Amino acid sequence: MMLPLSFYTQDDVLNVAKSLLGYKLCSLIDGQYTSGYIVETEAYAGVDDMASHAYGSRRTTRNEAMYAHGGIAYVYLCYGIHHLFNVVTNVENTPHAVLVRALQPAEGIDIQLARRKKQKYDHTLCAGPGSMSQAMGITKAYNFENLYNGNNIWIEQCYDLQPFDILCSPRVGVGYAGIDALLPYRYRISGNKYCSSAK
DNA sequence: CAAACGATTTTCT
DNA sequence: GAAAATCGTTTGG
């Protein structure tokens, strides 16, 4: 079933990031249904996290969605090329978010291949936040998208995957974040080959 | 208004 | 392993 608002508004963003592993991210975009199991996430813990866009209460047009209440999407363009999909958590004006970094493709794989302009299905189809968004059809047009009562993007609680261990490690690409770059806020399903490559 | 940069990916050597 | 691709956002003059 689709995750309810109460899941997203819970207080601990680290717990949300861990809980999302194994759940199914679904999109119905341009009339095309695709989905995949979430196998890798990163938590961004608001105003005290130097790696977060909201560090020091920084509030701009780009990161405005982080300040909304939990349960909506924060999508922004990175390196001019990649659309990165985040799940906003916690309550209004507490800018916590979870970056979805990789999926194990589930349904609509032919559609995902076409969006990625790939010929063959392999473990890289949804490995990495940019690739994952592209395969699911997610762009920054879906910034502020409602996820708990949404028509285009939503997440379903499910137990389709075998029981798994969670691997914690430092986040990717946040070397500028000083001491906070060392925080183990990246979570992966142990041994899952669909995860993005580590740095 | 100009300049620098980034929560990345792909390709080339 | 190194570097290019590529552009909206942010910052500084």
Side-chain angles (χ1 to χ4, degrees), chain A residues 13-140:
Chain A
V13 66
L14 303 182
N15 187 56
V16 175
K18 283 180 277 196
S19 300
L20 284 173
L21 293 177
Y23 288 2
K24 192 162 71 169
L25 175 64
C26 310
S27 73
L28 181 58
I29 287 172
D30 295 331
Q32 307 204 281
Y33 173 69
T34 51
S35 72
Y37 301 105
I38 298 173
V39 298
E40 180 178 349
T41 61
E42 278 179 5
Y44 286 87
V47 301
D48 297 320
D49 180 356
M50 291 201 291
S52 168
H53 289 166
Y55 175 62
S57 300
R58 200 157 62 100
R59 186 167 187 159
T60 64
T61 307
R62 180 179 65 161
N63 71 7
E64 187 63 29
M66 294 186 81
Y67 287 84
H69 65 80
I72 66 160
Y74 168 39
V75 188
Y76 74 96
L77 190 64
C78 185
Y79 293 101
I81 301 173
H82 307 290
H83 298 268
L84 270 57
F85 172 76
N86 297 254
V87 175
V88 176
T89 72
N90 218 300
V91 296
E92 190 175 354
N93 292 320
T94 301
H96 291 187
V98 175
L99 170 68
V100 178
R101 293 189 55 86
L103 305 178
Q104 175 178 326
E107 297 155 292
I109 290 179
D110 52 333
I111 299 165
Q112 298 185 37
L113 284 169
R115 287 182 179 138
R116 293 267 289 129
K117 304 196 189 329
K118 286 174 73 82
Q119 305 300 320
K120 264 188 88 174
Y121 172 51
D122 64 25
H123 65 93
T124 66
L125 182 57
C126 293
S131 304
M132 179 291 280
S133 298
Q134 186 178 45
M136 297 294 286
I138 297 173
T139 69
K140 69 193 209 86

Side-chain angles (χ1 to χ4, degrees), chain A residues 130-159:
Chain A
S131 304
M132 179 291 280
S133 298
Q134 186 178 45
M136 297 294 286
I138 297 173
T139 69
K140 69 193 209 86
Y142 294 93
N143 196 22
F144 281 100
E145 185 75 8
N146 180 317
L147 302 176
Y148 57 88
N149 191 19
N151 299 312
N152 297 294
I153 306 171
W154 67 95
I155 300 173
E156 294 180 4
Q157 181 171 20
C158 70
Y159 300 96

